[in-house]
Amino acid sequence: MKPINPMTDQTTYSNTLDPELLALLRCPLTHSKLRQEGDYLVAEVGGLAYPVRDGIPVMLIEEAKLPDGVGSVEELKAKLGTGKL
């Protein structure tokens, strides 16, 4: 069996998460459930979209796409009335 060389071997990953894993994950800002939309996990509350890269969810607020019409995380917190989050 040939050893895997991470520098030359190209592995493709599916960005579709296992439903059991998706059921466990929550938005780190709003603590709401997430739904998968393509290469993103979108929070049911607030609409932050967390990327899935190489099959791994990136659950960092700084990496999330803001919903349309929102310019910053602070603005989103104000809209949600959750300034303490």
Side-chain angles (χ1 to χ4, degrees):
M1 183 173 202
K2 178 182 160 192
I4 297 174
N5 180 345
M7 300 303 286
T8 59
D9 292 343
Q10 300 261 335
T11 304
T12 56
Y13 295 93
S14 169
N15 282 337
T16 302
L17 293 186
D18 180 288
E20 290 180 22
L21 174 60
L22 186 57
L24 294 173
L25 294 173
R26 295 292 181 264
C27 171
L29 181 69
T30 65
H31 308 288
S32 66
K33 291 183 179 183
L34 302 162
R35 67 181 179 279
Q36 186 152 15
E37 292 184 9
D39 290 340
Y40 289 91
L41 300 180
V42 181
E44 290 181 356
V45 175
L48 283 172
Y50 298 91
V52 179
R53 296 184 185 130
D54 297 329
I56 300 169
V58 180
M59 302 303 297
L60 300 170
I61 296 169
E62 302 82 28
E63 295 287 322
K65 257 179 36 176
L66 295 167
D68 290 339
V70 177
S72 70
V73 173
E74 294 304 318
E75 183 181 335
L76 179 61
K77 288 178 184 180
K79 282 186 174 188
L80 294 173
T82 54
K84 295 180 185 176
L85 288 178

